[in-house]
Amino acid sequence: MPAEADILAPPQRVLERVERWDAFLDGAVPAKDDGTNLLIATWNLRAFSDLTKAWTTPEGASPKRNFTDIHLIASVVRRFDVVAVQEVRGNLRSLRYLLKVLGDDWAFILTDVTRGSAGNSERLAFLFDTRRVKPSGLACELVVPIEEDAGVPATDLEKQFARTPYAVSFLSQGQTFTLVTLHVLYGDKATDRAPELRAIARWLASWAEQEFGWDHNLIALGDFNIDRAGDPLFQAFTSTGLVPAPSLDGLPRTIFDDPGAEHFYDQIAWFTKGQKRRPVLTLEALAGGHLDFVPELRGDRMLGELSWHISDHFPLWVEFGIPAP
């Protein structure tokens, strides 16, 4: 019986492939500049759970994701300071091997498995580079009291979120920021998502106004399952003043998006000035984008197969400038 592959000892062909991928990423994402910038990303990693412990997945084997894929994913993650990851599942094998590849400078915070059929056995996670980012104390799930005076009326949400939003505060270079990540229930039709999106927007606004101890740079990011800019789902999401990053406008979110019919599923957004007592972003949004990995990583695969090796969603990122003290 052949010895099990060691994920920290890639064969030469994998090293060369990762090297080519890294060269592409060098030109696609800004570098981490000490004391001047902060790079935040969100990525829905499709069914990020089990994996095949081999460098090439045998024909017909399941799961499709393998050690080579983990190295390619790690190359993306290490470009950023914090990455919010959606669709981590109850089985943490892929996450554990990803952290091995990232190395000792990387850490994670994640939720327990979301129970119930709507929860899809998912977790929400943050991966972060401990050389540049530290947790600053706050970690919580956003649980909604269904009461009018709590800011979320029962007409908007009759039960808890299918997958509870998760908030964690971080400190980087003297700046505190709080990230709220979520994965909105997709539902059987688009109108099923509107109540949850509206409730999330109301709750974030109400929560932001009250959390004065953690009110620096509140940023919402994740998979909001919004179909189009300006549609009822987008209006529900932005109804309390959340503003999506302008640099991400019009970019495809999934590998299956058709030109001219891009979805707005994944977002990075924040509150702007002049909105009651809500925290204003003191970080300066410098640039943003998505990473289209299809041309570089597809090879001779069909798109559907690629989605199981890497993902069906593109990573989405924003670079923020750190203001002078």
Side-chain angles (χ1 to χ4, degrees), residues 50-65:
D50 203 359
L51 83 161
T52 293
K53 293 192 284 185
W55 295 104
T56 301
T57 306
E59 185 71 27
S62 180
K64 297 293 186 184
R65 190 172 283 125

Side-chain angles (χ1 to χ4, degrees), residues 25-74:
L25 294 173
D26 285 341
V29 181
K32 296 181 181 181
D33 292 332
D34 289 342
T36 62
N37 73 345
L38 178 67
L39 290 155
I40 295 175
T42 182
W43 197 1
N44 181 323
L45 280 171
R46 186 174 193 180
F48 200 60
S49 54
D50 203 359
L51 83 161
T52 293
K53 293 192 284 185
W55 295 104
T56 301
T57 306
E59 185 71 27
S62 180
K64 297 293 186 184
R65 190 172 283 125
N66 56 43
F67 281 175
T68 300
D69 303 324
I70 294 296
H71 274 268
L72 296 170
I73 291 169

Side-chain angles (χ1 to χ4, degrees), residues 251-301:
L251 294 177
R253 269 35 175 196
T254 83
I255 66 175
F256 301 115
D257 278 357
D258 295 321
E262 294 83 4
H263 291 87
F264 265 51
Y265 291 154
D266 306 283
Q267 293 289 345
I268 301 175
W270 50 82
F271 293 109
T272 56
K273 294 182 180 180
Q275 297 175 46
K276 298 184 179 180
R277 297 177 297 169
R278 291 165 204 160
V280 174
L281 194 76
T282 58
L283 298 170
E284 180 187 3
L286 300 176
H290 77 315
L291 287 174
D292 182 354
F293 51 80
V294 173
E296 302 296 325
L297 304 185
R298 181 178 183 177
D300 58 358
R301 297 168 175 154

Side-chain angles (χ1 to χ4, degrees), residues 76-95:
V76 173
V77 171
R78 63 168 56 99
R79 297 285 162 159
F80 305 103
D81 296 313
V82 185
V83 181
V85 180
Q86 302 85 49
E87 284 204 32
V88 177
R89 295 287 181 81
N91 184 324
L92 294 174
R93 178 174 286 172
S94 284
L95 180 64

Side-chain angles (χ1 to χ4, degrees), residues 180-235:
V180 183
T181 186
L182 59 153
H183 187 188
V184 169
L185 177 68
Y186 191 80
D188 295 325
K189 53 186 182 302
T191 53
D192 292 343
R193 295 170 237 159
E196 189 166 70
L197 278 165
R198 192 177 301 111
I200 285 168
R202 285 177 179 266
W203 176 240
L204 281 174
S206 175
W207 184 69
E209 291 168 10
Q210 298 174 47
E211 295 298 317
F212 297 115
W214 309 97
D215 63 356
H216 308 284
N217 299 307
L218 179 66
I219 300 169
L221 71 173
D223 183 355
F224 296 83
N225 275 318
I226 296 170
D227 287 330
R228 301 281 183 272
D231 73 3
L233 298 178
F234 183 85
Q235 293 170 8

